[in-house]
Amino acid sequence: MIYAIIIVGLALDQLTKYITVANLKGADSVVLIKNWLEFTYVENTGVAFGSFRGYKYFFIFISLVAFFGILFYIYKNKDKMSKIEQILFALIACGALGNCIDRIRFSFVVDFIHTRFGGLYDFPVFNFADIYICVACFLLIVVSFTKKEN
């Protein structure tokens, strides 16, 4: 199940990035909901909303260590972890690998989801891999606070 989640998640991430490059590179943003949501092509050479630009090989290394480290952690602890924890860790691994693939292929990460929150806040552009990582990390924190000790 863990590998299926990673494969499907990675396929969705890479497919949406492929569509973005094919249709939005060099083009204007596509507004889906005015002042709320649009697709905008961005080449992110950093991490976490464009910070730490210019460390491509370091980020590739860290991403691969995270990916394989998480898989190893799941394998070694699967009997101690709930299914939801395994899924959340798999999503984090998937996100790390998705952005790592971009760095290897393009020397940057393709971002395209742009939210503006009604024009009140212009949130940095992101992608599905980023969503996997952020949402899974948040939910792991929630799960850790609600988990009952045996």
Side-chain angles (χ1 to χ4, degrees), residues 12-116:
L12 177 63
D13 175 66
Q14 292 297 300
L15 177 63
T16 56
K17 290 173 180 175
Y18 172 81
I19 292 168
T20 298
V21 171
N23 294 293
L24 286 178
K25 186 173 183 174
D28 291 335
S29 297
V30 175
V31 177
L32 299 176
I33 304 171
K34 186 177 179 182
N35 289 324
W36 285 95
L37 179 63
E38 60 188 51
F39 290 152
T40 303
Y41 177 82
V42 173
E43 296 177 356
N44 182 355
T45 59
V47 293
F49 313 122
S51 58
F52 303 105
R53 296 178 190 271
Y55 295 96
K56 171 189 167 183
Y57 295 107
F58 176 72
F59 295 138
I60 289 171
F61 174 75
I62 293 298
S63 297
L64 290 174
V65 167
F67 176 74
F68 289 111
I70 290 169
L71 290 184
F72 182 74
Y73 180 79
I74 293 170
Y75 174 76
K76 285 303 233 180
N77 296 289
K78 63 183 169 215
D79 295 334
K80 301 173 195 169
M81 298 169 66
S82 68
K83 288 293 181 195
I84 189 71
E85 288 171 309
Q86 292 177 34
I87 291 167
L88 294 173
F89 275 111
L91 286 172
I92 294 168
C94 178
L97 186 60
N99 284 339
C100 183
I101 289 170
D102 283 13
R103 285 191 181 92
I104 292 168
R105 288 181 61 208
F106 305 120
S107 294
F108 56 83
V109 173
V110 175
D111 288 331
F112 62 93
I113 302 169
H114 192 182
T115 55
R116 295 186 184 272

Side-chain angles (χ1 to χ4, degrees), residues 128-144:
F128 277 91
D130 299 333
I131 293 170
Y132 302 155
I133 294 167
C134 292
V135 171
C137 284
F138 173 76
L139 291 175
L140 272 173
I141 292 168
V142 170
V143 167
S144 72

